[in-house]
Amino acid sequence: MDAGLGHPKNIPWTQKAFANAAGISPNTPASWLRPDGARELKSKSFEKVFSTFFPLERDALTEPARELRRVFNEANKTAKSIKLALDEKRFSELDVWNAVMRTKNGEFLSVVRGMSNAKGVRFEGFAPGELALTETDEQFFLEIPTTLRSKVESGEINYDIHADGAREFSDTCLESVHDQLPGFDLLGAISKYSELYASRVVEAFESDRVTQKPYNKPKYGVRSVTSHIPANKDETTAGEVHLYRTDFFSHWVISQTFKDMQKQHPEWLTDMSKFPTLSVNGKEVYFPHLTMGIGLNCFIICQPEYGARTTCFTRLGNASSQPRQHNRLHVPVNEGLNTEDYDEERHEVSLNFWWKRMIREELGGDLDLDRFEFEALSVFLDTTVGELGVLGVIVTDYTVAELDVARTKTARDLGREFVGSLIEIPATEVDLIEFVISQPNSVQDFVTYTPHLIDMIVRRRIFQSGKF
């Protein structure tokens, strides 16, 4: 261990010794200094940072960690705002962020990252045409259980059924995978969750308390993702997402089944280049319909003609489809790709249709879409739920307050998916980090993959780039 560890307590730690003990880079403070010096951490954030560095009970700490705890505690007693003067350098916000994100390592993979320097691309994401959404001729639909189907066919319940005519292909795929998953009853799990969700749909329609009735809209699943360098564009990366048709019922059932499978086979994805092939006990299992959906998740940068640049978050409501995400913080606009995003004139799935529909449904149908600019940054995989997403940035000259008013009036998903007002913060990496740390449970108060979206924004310094 470096100098400073194990020495008498009145000898200060060196920057290098502190960095080694805390698991951070000794170089980041210098690289992340702002022109006026690094922002000091607010004292209310200090305990959150501290508990992230040292999550163990006091008695379980190593001697160096106990010494570092003592140093932190002394600093906390004597400073109104925490400033760790190690070798007369201030502690970096990025160091803090690295410590926070240590708890979520391995949950997130960047599948394809845009790196275009084309004219009009602000954030070095994908230029128009560099991210393609390509529909294949495949379909994957699970059968609706009789408990629900009989009520739909009798007219008691208005719920769409898409499985008819497509089940033979779907059943064949599932039976093939079922035989290759040792110790896991794939077909049994699908049957269990199909019956569970069908009963929930029936209960919702028969309940007077449920005002937002469930619906089974057709949507797209992801068969595979490929990455390549476009011709004559050596310094850019393009991506293509290959899609098949499915529906929300199938999506929900497979996602729940996947969670159970993951518990028994946590090694399911060891090589992203082979996706969607599973690795199970060292054996490759081809499961093209593992990823049942893809979502668009965007940071909003509000840059009004007068005033500071800001961004915002929202909180998911109890009606969102994933119970473990209820009441957690999320980016304010996120929407799954579905068949409404198909451009009939061009005969293709349209990224433009997708992000514009997202704005109308999540922020309000009365907003002027010409006042928004969109750029996709990357395609990612959340390994905790086995689903893909596209991370993007939307820039607008609307203020957050104006967006909040529009959302309250005409956003279709307000009340169904989101609750409360938009949460506005300054659009800087430092304020973004402090916003996360200031939450009661830090990263655990966000939708599972949102901290990783924040991480990409922070590390690529999106708020400092582009022409605003």
Side-chain angles (χ1 to χ4, degrees), residues 134-153:
T134 303
E135 183 177 7
T136 68
D137 59 359
E138 291 186 6
Q139 300 183 65
F140 184 87
F141 296 101
L142 295 177
E143 185 174 4
I144 303 293
T146 304
T147 51
L148 174 57
R149 173 182 282 272
S150 60
K151 291 184 177 293
V152 173
E153 291 176 344

Side-chain angles (χ1 to χ4, degrees), residues 367-373 394-399 402:
L367 292 168
D368 182 358
L369 294 179
D370 289 337
R371 294 175 63 179
F372 294 87
E373 296 179 50
I394 289 176
V395 180
T396 180
D397 62 358
Y398 281 110
T399 65
E402 288 173 329

Side-chain angles (χ1 to χ4, degrees), residues 171-181 285-286:
D171 290 346
T172 301
C173 289
L174 293 175
E175 288 168 3
S176 173
V177 175
H178 174 86
D179 294 338
Q180 300 181 68
L181 291 175
V285 179
Y286 184 56

Side-chain angles (χ1 to χ4, degrees), residues 215-361:
Y215 54 91
N216 190 30
K217 63 184 177 184
K219 58 180 299 181
Y220 288 111
V222 180
R223 189 185 189 282
S224 61
V225 180
T226 58
S227 175
H228 63 281
I229 298 175
N232 304 319
K233 293 185 178 181
D234 292 343
E235 296 183 357
T236 69
T237 301
E240 187 169 10
V241 182
H242 309 277
L243 308 165
Y244 60 88
R245 293 211 174 204
T246 184
D247 59 8
F248 184 80
F249 181 90
S250 302
H251 168 93
W252 191 91
V253 171
I254 289 292
S255 66
Q256 300 303 311
T257 300
F258 171 71
K259 292 174 190 174
D260 287 356
M261 186 191 75
Q262 218 177 0
K263 293 174 184 177
Q264 286 191 256
H265 298 291
E267 75 283 17
W268 72 278
L269 182 63
T270 56
D271 186 351
M272 191 62 220
S273 65
K274 296 180 180 179
F275 179 84
T277 298
L278 306 176
S279 175
V280 180
N281 296 339
K283 181 176 65 176
E284 293 185 356
V285 179
Y286 184 56
F287 193 175
H289 304 97
L290 166 68
T291 303
M292 296 299 294
I294 183 168
L296 178 58
N297 305 267
C298 292
F299 276 83
I300 291 180
I301 300 176
C302 290
Q303 178 61 73
E305 184 177 358
Y306 302 102
R309 189 166 66 245
T310 61
T311 187
C312 55
F313 288 85
T314 190
R315 193 174 292 278
L316 290 188
N318 289 332
S320 59
S321 60
Q322 298 292 347
R324 65 174 172 167
Q325 310 285 27
H326 290 173
N327 295 312
R328 292 194 180 188
L329 292 163
H330 197 13
V331 290
V333 279
N334 51 95
E335 184 66 28
L337 180 67
N338 68 43
T339 53
E340 295 177 51
D341 304 315
Y342 188 85
D343 186 337
E344 296 288 352
E345 291 185 5
R346 293 178 174 270
H347 305 290
E348 64 184 19
V349 183
S350 169
L351 186 60
N352 271 335
F353 279 24
W354 191 10
W355 77 259
K356 289 178 180 179
R357 179 176 63 84
M358 177 185 67
I359 291 291
R360 292 193 299 269
E361 294 188 5

Side-chain angles (χ1 to χ4, degrees), residues 17-33:
F18 172 79
N20 284 342
I24 62 177
S25 167
N27 300 319
T28 51
S31 65
W32 270 66
L33 283 174

